[in-house]
Amino acid sequence: MGKLTIPQEELMNSGHIGCLGCGGTLAMRYLLKALGKRTMITIPACCIAIMSGIYPRNFLKVPLLDVAFETTAASASGIRAALDAKGIDDVYVVGFGGDGGTADIGIQALSGTAERGDNIIYVMYDNEAYMNTGIQRSGATPFGAWTTTTPVGTTGDFKKRPKKNMVEIMVAHDIPYAATASVAYPEDFVKKVMKAKDMDGTKFFHVFSPCPTGWRYSPEMTIQIGVLAFQTTVFPMYEVENGVYRVTKKPAKRKPVADYLKLQGRFKHLDDETIKIIQKNVDRNWEMLLAKAEFTKKFAE
Amino acid sequence: MPMDVMTGNSAQAYGAKLARAEVVAAYPITPQTTVVEKLADLVASGEMKAQFIKVESEHSAMAACIAASATGARAYTATAAHGLALMHEMLIWAAGSRLPIVMGNINRAMAPPWSVWADYQDSIAERDTGWMQFYCQSSQEVLDTVIQAYKVAENHDVLIPAMVMEDAFYLSHTFEPVDVPPQKDVDDFLPPYDPPVKLDVDNPVGLCALVPPDHYMEFRFKIAKAMEDSRKVIQEVDEEWEKKFGRSHGGLVERYRMEDADAAIIAAGTMSSTARVAIDNMRDKGKKVGLARLRVFRPFPYEEIRQIAKEVDSIGVLDRSYTFGHGGAFYTETAGALYQAPERPHVKNYVIGIGGRDIPPKDIEGILEKVLTKEDGGEVEWFGLRTSGSREVN
Ligand SMILES: Cc1ncc(C[n+]2csc(CCOP(=O)(O)OP(=O)(O)O)c2C)c(N)n1
Ligand code: SF4
Ligand SMILES: [Mg+2]
């Protein structure tokens, strides 16, 4: 059986200014490997926007347009329209935003782009909070997490609502392809990008991107955390092609969520009762995902 | 040349079409909607070759125009009032990116209370965003100015975006005869957009990156310089237009019966047409009055205003908006320009026609009488308030 090899060409320069162990930078690196040189990318305010350091440095070898926080998708649509107007049809257009820029402030523009079906690739690298501004909660912050705006305090004021499910929201837009991926599994991510990149319409990737600074763990554990998120099914790996769900990678045996939570300072306040609630939610979501895969099978073309 | 009868809004759309805008991204709002509809028709019929992104908001409209322009396409949008206010962040972004986007803005009052009628608060509030601002008085001027604005904005000494204003309903929905120039003549006048830098996979660059204090100030200075340099370009482009198409719109300031005038009013937009009627009536009575029409408000034509100050002893500045705190913007800028002038005539501000309130010739005649007699009693007067007629505010 042929093995997928990740393209060797680096389209991201070394020497970026991200934190040690930053998951987000890996998401960018693998994405560009999968897409190649003929790619244009637009990045809103977020950690990745400042990876170049300061003007006139640039951390990417592809054209890059920094855009306002909430405009990633609309900007990608604008680039695509300009390329269409010029008759250029061999360039991938990417919007690359954080969870805050995607699930919160940029969701309107993204919804517009997806509804119109503009031919772009949207990547949400998810570090589960507003990291660039110093770890404030976002709509993608998970239940139970500490952030600087859910500071726990003496009243147990951690985040009390679950993470917004962006893949579901995007699937509801009837787009050709939406998938999760993780920087801990680059082959899976690259394979998905290669599969979807030439589909017509809006393609969406939700990339799990652990953040040592915001999640309060030691930088060398980024991949381990990603692996545990997968093994516990806190963050399952799946794709949705034209409404048909497929789990692309299943853990041999599911580990308890506590294994994942206990490595991160942002969950250290959680008592056993709360961890039980989290386990229950993760179980339920996993079963629902399997059921969706089973149920939608018959709609595969 | 074909004469057509069209509204100011159709003139916007035909201006964009004749300018061969390649990307249009727009969102409907009264009284701009017919611009969007007209453009949709022109694209759907194949008459206009453009990508029309039917965005979900004005904020996205400007974001898409910025990205399209950064990719080297000529971009156009139109909006009004709340749409313009929603774009505010992106207006600054467009100017900061040095992108020659042209946008129609149909001047409409801001809510609350809701109003859809003519008022300049929307565009005056965007004065400091780094956009050139043209205020038009006829459908013909709208069509011509959209094309001229691209030529000015795309000049490599300028490279800043431009707004082309028309008054809600007075212009946006009123039919007037318009001479539509042939496409090939417009093509001769306006060559394709040739950006000095753009997103290009064969020559990858990063645009709009983080800039520290030891560079940011120079970026801002360059916008200031471009805005200064645009004065000359606006003038030249209007002159070139006149040579080619036989009509000028006055460059930055259009003068009317200013020869031997003792007093003048400064006004913009459709009220200037009314002012001309009022001035003719006054002149018939032997009163030496004239009009300086602000066609361009950004950059502010301070030299032209100082010239007028040399010629008359009294100026009335008519503002269809108010900058809460002190005076209308046309007034405060005029007064500011005059402080450095060798001659400083009497100047007074008349706030008038707010929220589309009608401005009949007799009102302007009344103001001209006051200007002629240098009637004092305060700097700023709200003219024609229902409660007590006129009110001085300070
Ligand atoms: C309109 C606007 N509001 C707020 C900000 C401040 N801001 C910049 S980045 C950011 C958080 C980004 O969070 P996310 O998208 O999750 O990316 P991350 O920094 O976590 O990588 C915020 C709130 C902004 N730039 N623009
Ligand atoms: S805060 Fe997190 S996401 Fe941001 S650069 Fe550091 S590790 Fe990466
Ligand atoms: Mg984030």
Side-chain angles (χ1 to χ4, degrees):
Chain A
M1 216 175 83
K3 225 179 150 199
L4 173 96
T5 48
I6 296 177
Q8 295 219 318
E9 192 180 13
E10 295 289 354
L11 292 169
M12 191 172 109
N13 297 314
S14 57
H16 64 73
I17 66 158
C19 310
L20 276 181
C22 173
T25 52
L26 294 175
M28 175 63 88
R29 186 170 163 223
Y30 293 124
L31 173 78
L32 290 180
K33 280 173 175 285
L35 293 178
K37 259 196 199 125
R38 296 193 73 77
T39 299
M40 290 187 180
I41 190 154
T42 156
I43 303 180
C46 62
C47 278
I48 297 293
I50 54 144
M51 285 300 163
S52 295
I54 51 182
Y55 167 87
R57 296 192 179 87
N58 185 359
F59 83 122
L60 299 183
K61 293 182 190 163
V62 298
L64 156 64
L65 183 66
D66 276 308
V67 297
F69 194 20
E70 61 282 37
T71 65
T72 320
S75 303
S77 292
I79 293 175
R80 175 56 75 200
L83 293 174
D84 286 348
K86 305 272 179 205
I88 299 170
D89 61 4
D90 63 344
V91 171
Y92 299 114
V93 179
V94 176
F96 192 96
D99 48 294
T102 304
D104 293 343
I105 200 166
I107 197 169
Q108 173 178 324
L110 175 59
S111 175
T113 292
E115 181 272 328
R116 289 189 304 273
D118 293 347
N119 189 15
I120 64 132
I121 296 162
Y122 194 102
V123 177
M124 167 171 109
Y125 75 98
D126 185 9
N127 53 26
E128 304 198 317
Y130 303 149
M131 294 310 177
N132 186 45
T133 39
I135 328 173
Q136 295 85 27
R137 61 111 61 205
S138 79
T141 301
F143 175 94
W146 161 93
T147 66
T148 58
T149 50
T150 49
V152 186
T154 51
T155 59
D157 185 20
F158 49 78
K159 188 174 172 202
K160 295 286 167 48
R161 291 280 303 152
K163 188 179 174 68
K164 209 185 266 191
N165 188 330
M166 278 308 295
V167 170
E168 286 297 326
I169 290 169
M170 296 312 290
V171 167
H173 284 76
D174 201 0
I175 57 174
Y177 191 83
T180 62
S182 167
V183 299
Y185 297 95
E187 290 93 345
D188 176 75
F189 178 31
V190 167
K191 203 165 146 188
K192 284 169 175 165
V193 174
M194 288 194 165
K195 174 176 185 180
K197 65 183 182 179
D198 291 314
M199 293 179 182
D200 190 28
T202 308
K203 285 79 64 180
F204 181 79
F205 291 90
H206 178 175
V207 184
F208 192 73
S209 308
C211 163
T213 310
W215 297 5
R216 300 300 199 227
Y217 67 83
S218 179
E220 73 280 6
M221 287 159 56
T222 290
I223 301 304
Q224 187 188 349
I225 300 263
V227 167
L228 278 165
F230 161 70
Q231 289 174 335
T232 55
T233 67
V234 161
F235 193 88
M237 237 51 88
Y238 66 103
E239 64 183 9
V240 189
E241 207 180 328
N242 293 313
V244 178
Y245 288 68
R246 199 172 71 82
V247 179
T248 52
K249 212 174 164 58
K250 275 187 205 169
K253 186 174 176 297
R254 289 176 65 220
K255 291 194 172 163
V257 290
D259 291 6
Y260 169 74
L261 301 174
K262 72 182 179 209
L263 296 180
Q264 304 171 54
R266 63 174 173 157
F267 296 119
K268 72 165 191 264
H269 52 274
L270 297 180
D271 57 20
D272 290 347
E273 260 334 282
T274 319
I275 291 175
K276 261 189 211 146
I277 296 173
I278 294 174
Q279 183 68 61
K280 227 175 110 191
N281 287 338
V282 168
D283 292 347
R284 185 170 178 273
N285 288 342
W286 175 243
E287 274 158 37
M288 270 172 78
L289 176 63
L290 295 177
K292 277 180 207 161
E294 190 53 37
F295 168 72
T296 57
K297 234 192 227 161
K298 62 173 176 279
F299 298 105
E301 266 136 46
Chain B
M1 285 197 198
M3 273 312 251
D4 214 328
V5 176
M6 65 171 76
T7 61
N9 279 358
S10 278
Q12 283 276 356
Y14 278 105
K17 173 192 169 258
L18 287 166
R20 294 194 187 277
E22 297 167 282
V23 173
V24 175
Y27 190 82
I29 179 170
T30 303
Q32 158 267 31
T33 35
T34 52
V35 181
V36 181
E37 291 169 351
K38 185 78 211 172
L39 285 168
D41 284 346
L42 288 172
V43 172
S45 68
E47 262 183 272
M48 183 175 178
K49 298 264 172 294
Q51 298 295 318
F52 190 159
I53 316 177
K54 278 101 189 212
V55 282
E56 87 306 326
S57 72
E58 290 87 351
H59 198 281
S60 288
M62 189 47 65
C65 284
I66 287 167
S69 184
T71 313
R74 191 170 276 158
Y76 176 84
T77 186
T79 189
H82 292 261
L84 188 66
L86 185 63
M87 280 181 191
H88 175 70
E89 179 194 24
M90 303 319 295
L91 297 182
I92 297 173
W93 201 284
S97 317
R98 306 298 302 275
L99 296 169
I101 298 160
V102 171
M103 165 167 64
N105 180 59
I106 323 305
N107 281 120
R108 162 187 158 177
M110 297 290 299
W114 279 114
S115 164
V116 293
W117 294 280
D119 190 296
Y120 293 176
Q121 188 180 10
D122 56 356
S123 55
I124 294 297
E126 306 303 341
R127 172 184 65 177
D128 302 338
T129 53
W131 283 62
M132 291 180 279
Q133 292 198 344
F134 293 83
Y135 289 81
C136 299
Q137 63 177 347
S138 68
S139 296
Q140 184 72 63
E141 188 181 6
V142 169
L143 185 142
D144 295 355
T145 303
V146 170
I147 301 164
Q148 286 191 12
Y150 278 111
K151 180 133 185 171
V152 175
E154 292 174 5
N155 184 301
H156 285 201
D157 291 335
V158 180
L159 290 174
I160 43 178
M163 282 180 215
V164 178
M165 256 62 80
E166 26 160 330
D167 291 357
F169 301 107
Y170 292 119
L171 205 47
S172 64
H173 287 66
T174 306
F175 286 84
E176 291 178 351
V178 171
D179 165 40
V180 181
Q183 183 69 59
K184 70 169 175 32
D185 292 356
V186 176
D187 290 345
D188 285 346
F189 176 82
L190 180 68
Y193 172 38
D194 170 31
V197 61
K198 64 174 180 184
L199 298 181
D200 177 2
V201 285
D202 296 319
N203 178 28
V205 291
L207 301 175
C208 308
L210 180 70
V211 164
D214 53 358
H215 276 115
Y216 185 87
M217 198 160 164
E218 281 69 24
F219 277 86
R220 255 32 196 176
F221 175 73
K222 284 184 172 180
I223 299 176
K225 172 88 170 40
M227 193 64 98
E228 286 308 315
D229 293 348
S230 73
R231 298 171 197 285
K232 192 167 152 266
V233 181
I234 292 169
Q235 194 66 45
E236 285 168 1
V237 164
D238 191 45
E239 281 161 18
E240 189 190 338
W241 183 269
E242 184 176 21
K243 267 197 213 108
K244 195 159 181 66
F245 299 101
R247 54 182 174 263
S248 152
H249 295 291
L252 287 92
V253 173
E254 187 188 45
R255 300 157 65 100
Y256 183 71
R257 300 193 82 167
M258 282 299 296
E259 64 289 346
D260 76 2
D262 297 326
I265 53 170
I266 291 176
T270 53
M271 76 165 84
S272 320
S273 315
T274 313
R276 274 193 292 274
V277 174
I279 285 164
D280 288 348
N281 293 343
M282 301 280 283
R283 285 269 179 180
D284 288 347
K285 291 182 214 149
K287 305 204 166 160
K288 293 179 176 173
V289 290
L291 164 75
R293 177 174 74 92
L294 277 183
R295 177 175 181 240
V296 176
F297 175 58
R298 273 292 174 272
F300 190 72
Y302 63 93
E303 276 174 10
E304 289 80 353
I305 297 294
R306 283 179 196 162
Q307 178 56 39
I308 285 156
K310 276 191 203 154
E311 299 168 28
V312 300
D313 331 307
S314 183
I315 295 176
V317 185
L318 275 55
D319 268 293
R320 193 162 217 153
S321 72
Y322 193 68
T323 57
F324 299 107
H326 180 59
F330 294 166
Y331 165 68
T332 51
E333 299 251 349
T334 298
L338 293 186
Y339 186 79
Q340 303 289 350
E343 274 104 338
R344 290 209 294 268
H346 179 267
V347 186
K348 181 161 173 165
N349 189 199
Y350 298 91
V351 178
I352 189 171
I354 297 294
R357 180 160 301 180
D358 194 26
I359 307 173
K362 73 167 177 26
D363 280 8
I364 296 191
E365 285 171 40
I367 288 173
L368 280 164
E369 283 297 353
K370 291 177 180 223
V371 176
L372 265 175
T373 58
K374 300 187 196 171
E375 174 238 36
D376 253 328
E379 234 179 286
V380 181
E381 177 179 337
W382 283 61
F383 190 89
L385 283 180
R386 297 171 66 85
T387 41
S388 53
S390 282
R391 280 292 280 277
E392 317 275 331
V393 292
N394 52 11

